[in-house]
Amino acid sequence: MIRVERFAGTPEEWDAFAVTQSGYTHFHRFPWRTLIEKVFGHECLYLAARDLDGNLIGILPLVRVCSIVFGHYLVSMPFLNYGGPLGTDAGIQSLVNEAVAMARNEKVRLLELRSRVPLDIPLGASHRKITVVLDLPEQSDNLFQRFDAKLRSQIRRPQKEGVRVEFGVEQVAPFFSVFARHMRDLGTPTQPLALFRAIAEQFPQDCWFACAYLASKPVAGGCGFRFGDEFEMTWASSLRAYSRQAPNMLLYWACMERAIAEGLKRFNFGRCTPGAGTYRFKMQWGGHEEPLWWYGLGATAGATTPSPRDGAFRFGPRIWRRLPTSIATAVGPAIVRYIP
């Protein structure tokens, strides 16, 4: 018999189990619960499946995101690319059954489980988003020589222009200054600075903040996580005014060099939409596509998590791009916290 319950064990028990499971990612780590509750105020319904002896056989980090405007969602994990249940087949099935019952009883708009791997569960999987993964050699010179002449030239260009890349937790604020401006230019509300400060505080060893500078000005920035033998670039942006200098190319290359120096085997570019501009940017480095297995149960057919570009909100991006960056940065977090 399997018992499913709200997890009441220690963070150490959760993490020790998670790291041994197929499909494990950094976003399954228990400290994300504290971070999401602190930064966003969302209820975290972390579920555990236990056998008759009380041993963990499954975990599911589930978060409730609920607002009057966008609706009620249960997501694992919101704002991130991966989540979903981990464990034995029986443990995962029990956890999914519990999550489905919860979603139906509460009439949520969508239950979404963002698994990295395919699961044998009775929910349909969406592949509307994919990721691009680059296999890394043991030496950065070998990787550089794998690139075509155009790509090598694009990496050298910012170096010739005097662009430099710096790493460290002190890059949080410079990174955010670029990120917030970039999101405003895209017409999308930004995540709060508090999120990235909390990430730096909670995961000082696992999280990389990198900033590319031209003279003393930050012109590109990235934030990502290492787990297992992999690094994922979760957020990255650059200033359009400096596109000629291509600082984002040097930023990505610096992160690849660091990943190789630290013995990692895979560089994950993060999620994108097939065929979009970000997809083409990521594929030019020679990586391969990996589908994202986002399993869902919606109140209506084809339900997805909300977007400011949907339906009545489609006017939003046009207005957002016209806002002063300071106003967009101040107001954006109050909106995006409900867009998981």
Side-chain angles (χ1 to χ4, degrees):
M1 181 177 178
I2 297 174
R3 183 176 75 255
V4 175
E5 60 189 16
R6 294 282 290 271
F7 181 74
T10 65
E12 291 77 14
E13 181 191 22
W14 178 284
D15 286 345
F17 178 82
V19 74
T20 64
Q21 303 304 309
S22 172
Y24 164 78
T25 68
H26 190 278
F27 312 113
H28 287 94
R29 291 191 56 191
F30 194 82
W32 280 100
R33 175 178 182 172
T34 302
L35 191 152
I36 288 174
E37 290 175 340
K38 176 183 176 181
V39 174
F40 298 104
H42 296 318
E43 182 183 10
C44 292
L45 308 164
Y46 275 38
L47 302 178
R50 296 185 183 272
D51 63 18
L52 286 173
D53 296 323
N55 299 311
L56 275 180
I57 60 170
I59 57 173
L60 174 58
L62 195 61
V63 180
R64 187 191 310 281
V65 181
C66 187
S67 73
I68 295 175
V69 175
F70 292 112
H72 185 180
Y73 297 83
L74 292 174
V75 185
S76 174
M77 290 283 286
F79 318 115
L80 303 167
N81 301 331
Y82 302 120
L86 301 177
T88 66
D89 290 344
I92 288 174
Q93 187 63 63
S94 297
L95 290 164
V96 171
N97 289 345
E98 179 67 19
V100 166
M102 189 183 305
R104 286 175 171 159
N105 290 339
E106 299 179 8
K107 296 181 172 57
V108 303
R109 183 167 293 183
L110 177 68
L111 165 69
E112 186 165 70
L113 308 178
R114 298 175 177 178
S115 176
R116 178 160 202 177
V117 296
L119 302 173
D120 185 17
I121 59 176
L123 296 178
S126 168
H127 301 302
R128 67 184 185 276
K129 299 290 184 181
I130 63 166
T131 190
V132 176
V133 177
L134 176 67
D135 294 325
L136 299 175
E138 293 184 357
Q139 301 293 329
S140 58
D141 287 346
N142 293 340
L143 179 60
F144 193 78
Q145 292 306 315
R146 273 173 24 192
F147 299 151
D148 62 30
K150 178 181 178 182
L151 185 56
R152 293 198 299 268
S153 176
Q154 289 176 316
I155 295 170
R156 292 189 181 110
R157 183 187 311 157
Q159 293 174 320
K160 294 177 181 178
E161 295 279 353
V163 176
R164 71 185 193 282
V165 176
E166 297 185 6
F167 289 90
V169 294
E170 66 276 7
Q171 302 305 317
V172 172
F175 156 80
F176 184 75
S177 69
V178 175
F179 179 74
R181 176 61 182 265
H182 177 75
M183 297 301 286
R184 193 290 307 265
D185 291 346
L186 290 176
T188 303
T190 181
Q191 293 285 4
L193 175 58
L195 169 63
F196 300 106
R197 285 177 170 164
I199 286 172
E201 178 181 351
Q202 194 71 254
F203 305 111
Q205 304 303 318
D206 308 330
C207 181
W208 299 357
F209 281 95
C211 237
Y213 290 85
L214 184 60
S216 59
K217 184 177 180 61
V219 292
C223 169
F225 302 87
R226 60 167 295 168
F227 52 95
D229 64 355
E230 181 171 344
F231 172 79
E232 184 203 74
M233 183 73 89
T234 310
W235 295 280
S237 55
S238 61
L239 299 182
R240 291 180 177 176
Y242 296 89
S243 58
R244 187 185 69 81
Q245 289 85 1
N248 58 328
M249 302 299 293
L250 186 59
L251 175 81
Y252 273 81
W253 173 241
C255 290
M256 291 177 194
E257 284 190 305
R258 178 175 175 178
I260 291 172
E262 295 192 11
L264 302 184
K265 302 301 182 185
R266 291 156 55 90
F267 188 95
N268 186 327
F269 286 86
R271 78 174 183 243
C272 59
T273 302
T278 52
Y279 168 83
R280 293 190 292 273
F281 171 85
K282 295 171 182 181
M283 288 297 293
Q284 72 178 328
W285 297 87
H288 59 274
E289 296 181 16
E290 283 192 0
L292 296 181
W293 295 84
W294 287 11
Y295 292 91
L297 175 68
T300 58
T304 63
T305 48
S307 167
R309 291 176 171 80
D310 293 342
F313 304 108
R314 286 179 182 171
F315 65 89
R318 293 195 298 273
I319 295 175
W320 205 261
R321 293 187 192 102
R322 297 170 184 246
L323 292 177
T325 302
S326 59
I327 294 177
T329 302
V331 176
I335 299 172
V336 79
R337 68 189 294 247
Y338 297 115
I339 305 176

